[in-house]
Amino acid sequence: MENTKPFTHEDCIETGYAMSIEGKVIVISLAALPEQYHNRENQLYYCDGGNGSRPNPMGRSIFATSLYDGVKMRWNRSDVVGVLKPELLPDWAKDTLEQIQSGSSPQINL
């Protein structure tokens, strides 16, 4: 049975501001998500960049693509829990991640 608990710091290989998150799968804090999106599917994003994605950022904006529905979003660096441990990436998210990394638009089947 697939885990349905939200992702936390324990599910991340890195947390904090000293790391780059650009080009990595990140976990968005539940506190940053509207209540109707409080589930692990809506927490996973691929960080596309932004001033806030750099180590010890001067800015706070990060740009990311949802692994659940392919929607591009702007988040604050403070909304990021950390970088997800690769072994915890759900199977449903792997295809979307591959499409994003290859530069094609994700084909989402909801």
Side-chain angles (χ1 to χ4, degrees):
M1 182 171 187
E2 189 172 317
N3 191 345
T4 58
K5 292 184 342 183
F7 291 108
T8 66
H9 286 91
E10 290 78 33
D11 299 315
C12 298
I13 55 173
E14 295 181 277
T15 60
Y17 289 89
M19 63 173 178
S20 171
I21 60 172
E22 186 172 359
K24 298 178 181 173
V25 174
I26 56 172
V27 176
I28 299 296
S29 168
L30 288 181
L33 294 167
E35 191 172 339
Q36 67 266 30
Y37 298 109
H38 280 198
N39 57 59
R40 64 193 292 125
E41 290 86 5
N42 288 297
Q43 285 186 276
L44 297 180
Y45 281 78
Y46 178 78
C47 182
D48 301 310
N51 287 333
S53 69
R54 298 184 182 112
N56 303 309
M58 295 296 285
R60 62 183 185 160
S61 295
I62 65 163
F63 301 99
T65 304
S66 168
L67 294 184
Y68 181 65
D69 59 14
V71 172
K72 293 186 179 286
M73 296 284 294
R74 180 214 169 270
W75 296 99
N76 289 330
R77 178 65 182 252
S78 59
D79 297 328
V80 177
V81 174
V83 175
L84 185 70
K85 292 177 182 175
E87 65 271 17
L88 297 181
L89 185 66
D91 289 337
W92 60 262
K94 291 177 182 174
D95 287 337
T96 307
L97 177 61
E98 192 174 293
Q99 291 171 27
I100 292 168
Q101 289 176 326
S102 71
S104 62
S105 296
Q107 301 298 315
I108 307 300
N109 298 311
L110 300 179

